Amino acid sequence: MRSERSYVAGLYARLDAERERVKGEYGAALRGTGGTAMERDVEVRARARELKRLELVDNGLCFGRLDTLSGEHSYIGRIGLFDEEKDYEPALLDWRAPAARAFYVATAAHPENMRRRRQFHTRGRQVLDFTDEVLGRPGGAERGDAALLAAVSAPRGEGMRDIVATIQAEQDEIIRLDHPGVLVIEGGPGTGKTVVALHRVAYLLYTQRERMERHGVLVVGPNPSFLHHISRVLPSLGESDVVFTTTGGLVPGLRVTAEDTPEVSRAKGSLKILDVLAAAVADRQRLPERPLPIELGDLTLRIDAETAEWAREEARASGLPHNEARAVFTEIVTYVLTERAIGRMGQGWLSRGDRDAWENLRSELLKELAEDDTFAAAIDELWPILTPEAVLAPLYASAERLRAAGADPVLFRADGEAWTVSDVPLLDELVDLLGRDTAADRSAERAADRERRSEAEYAAGVMDLLVDRQDSMDDEDHLFATDLLYAEDLADRFIERDTRDLVERATSDRDWTYRHVVVDEAQELSAMDWRVLMRRCPNRSFTVVGDLAQRRSAAGATSWTEVLERYVPDRWVYRSLTVNYRTPAEIMAVAAALLADFAPGVQPPESVRACGVQPWSRQVSEAELPAAIAEFVREEAGRPGTSVVIGPPGVPDTVPAAETKGLEFDAVLVVEPERILADGPRGAAELYVALTRATQRLGVVHHGPLPRVLTGLGEIAPAGSQRA
């Protein structure tokens, strides 16, 4: 034990020394004056990432050791460290390195040329003890699971823990899978599919860092609580260039304030809505009901329906997005008006053969039209610059517009701007349908150019003053190098640079693309949600995590083939996880009975352990329900770990099952399961989620009769001792 503690202490000394080295390089990069401004920014960001990685791996830096048959041994940890005195031999192997794989896949029957696997138990930087597993013993079949059982049985804290020390062979195979397309990981409750997906991200960042780190990774989860729950896993593995969001966060700046009914979600999530959106945009490309008068010189010209229709046809035929096609529309209208004006103004003295005179007159008329407010207003009326919100909000709030666009009437709502999560893919789609306001972009670019020139002139003036100061100095005076460096830095300040980190830049940019995307609870995503995500990752590198049996959304997936064949035919693979590491056998037996009732073709995952505590149920009156909830909360407050009360909408002091998806708690109380079961067509899936959140203790309190599928629960009296 003493030698192991000494070795691990030496690893921490190396870690501290490495941190100091990188801190020094980071400081030097911040002060650096060599190279271009962009090169210095790249250096600063690289050193900042490296420093953050080193600061995040302190807890459990080294968690194991492998001994080979030849007597050599290797230490396994969260990152790799090297021994400078021994030609940079590995002092600590990164868990993702090929040489570390035997730590996860070696068994007694298949030892992978290993003699022993040692697992350290640590607190902070201190090694408390270790357990050894001798490999290759006659009669051995599988890897020992003492460390695994200790980890899955331990009380839960805040947030999901990494499994880097206890990855199982079936999980390791998925984590290290070399597949460039889409990997689907399906598994029932407690199979570890989420944490496996996150460890796969860490593995990909390790093996493909140069390709992935400039664009980062996107992780999409079902709700903010889930994202908070998993947010510590990747940082604990030394990875921080990861954006966590829900589907509601995929359009920067949008504030979701409402919730759709299942019928509305289904209508918005279907690909049929694409035709509705295209029709809604086309409906804003109008023809004048009566000719619009335009004063040009001494003439009054008119934009009539025939002219506008020709311009509209040409603009639509251009294939450009709406806002960009406005230039084509404007060009045709302008051409018609100027031709008519020239024909009338030059009648009797100007012929088309006099090209110079004709073009000079046209230039004057074009300038006049460009400055004419009435003409600008007419173009705005017929072909307005539109934003996604300006299309969708009026569409929702008008039954007439919905009919004109061929939309389902259920989409009508009085407040068009009461945005929901289901609106996000529609707004995102409209970004592409509408395109940019090119005139506004050009104006902004001109303003930015003027500002850059002004600031550069100011910086040059400061430097001229410094030179004048040097020329006027006496011999005893000195112009310090810092003065010139200040002027140089000052000039650099006026070069437009983006110094935000990757997460900040990515979350504020709708057009940002990622090298890899993880989608958790993927069965809940609609067909329109998938269009958004595919835009965010053009190379189609995904890890998709889900369980079709737990689908709640009316717009969600019913098969992975249906979802993926449209985008990645022949480029997706499927893997399943069948072992339940979270839910003890006693609780899973209750949930499995429910699963067999609403999804008879789905095999429940097999629990690796029993907890020795039987789930219980208790019938109470409506008046007794608050007291029963309070009793559970009071009892669990005195125990280690976490707990939650899950109930149907409208029951005080409970959390809806949908908000607990992907989460785990030591103890769970399910309130009024009969109401959860009756809440819509996916009520059974909701109840299944609620029953499978507990790692130790499950209780059910009910007012009405206990649902038939839960009759296996033992009914108990109010005495709390029976729930110990």
Side-chain angles (χ1 to χ4, degrees), residues 102-287:
F103 187 80
Y104 301 108
V105 301
T107 65
H110 302 283
E112 304 286 329
N113 294 319
M114 297 297 158
R115 181 175 62 85
R116 178 173 60 189
R117 175 175 32 235
R118 174 167 291 175
Q119 184 107 27
F120 294 127
H121 308 287
T122 62
R123 181 182 298 126
R125 292 189 165 202
Q126 183 70 27
V127 176
L128 302 179
D129 58 24
F130 57 77
T131 55
D132 280 347
E133 181 185 356
V134 178
L135 303 169
R137 292 176 299 183
E142 295 298 333
R143 173 181 173 175
D145 56 5
L148 171 66
L149 291 178
V152 298
S153 300
R156 264 52 187 172
E158 184 182 353
M160 178 180 282
R161 296 172 295 194
D162 64 63
I163 59 169
V164 64
T166 57
I167 294 170
Q168 301 301 290
E170 71 165 357
Q171 297 172 329
D172 184 79
E173 180 184 354
I174 294 173
I175 289 169
R176 298 174 191 264
L177 184 65
D178 183 16
H179 180 71
V182 177
L183 166 64
V184 176
I185 307 173
E186 185 163 30
T191 52
K193 53 189 179 293
T194 296
V195 75
V196 166
L198 295 175
H199 282 67
R200 183 167 191 255
V201 168
Y203 178 75
L204 292 174
L205 285 168
Y206 174 78
T207 57
Q208 304 175 31
R209 189 169 302 281
E210 185 175 346
R211 185 181 72 86
M212 295 183 68
E213 69 178 356
R214 291 184 63 185
H215 287 259
V217 174
L218 175 67
V219 176
V220 180
N223 54 61
S225 297
F226 173 84
L227 295 177
H228 177 72
H229 179 65
I230 69 172
S231 62
R232 297 182 180 182
V233 174
L234 283 166
S236 74
L237 300 173
E239 304 298 346
S240 58
D241 286 342
V242 179
V243 173
F244 294 88
T245 188
T246 65
T247 54
L250 290 171
V251 172
L254 185 71
R255 185 165 174 261
V256 172
T257 60
E259 185 174 350
D260 284 323
T261 65
E263 294 75 20
V264 174
S265 294
R266 186 185 294 111
K268 291 180 180 178
S270 169
L271 294 180
K272 295 178 182 177
I273 201 72
L274 293 172
D275 292 335
V276 173
L277 296 177
V281 173
D283 185 55
R284 306 295 289 274
Q285 301 162 355
R286 313 302 294 270
L287 302 180

Side-chain angles (χ1 to χ4, degrees), residues 359-375:
E359 290 304 323
N360 288 337
L361 183 55
R362 181 189 295 278
S363 296
E364 293 175 8
L365 294 172
L366 288 174
K367 182 178 180 182
E368 188 174 342
L369 277 179
E371 297 173 351
D372 187 89
D373 292 340
T374 304
F375 178 71

Side-chain angles (χ1 to χ4, degrees), residues 446 448-458:
R446 287 193 295 269
D449 285 340
R450 287 194 298 270
E451 185 177 359
R452 280 193 294 268
R453 284 196 298 271
S454 175
E455 290 172 338
E457 289 170 3
Y458 173 76

Side-chain angles (χ1 to χ4, degrees), residues 696-708:
Q696 302 291 344
R697 299 174 295 281
L698 172 67
V700 173
V701 293
H702 55 105
H703 170 50
L706 193 67
R708 175 185 55 80

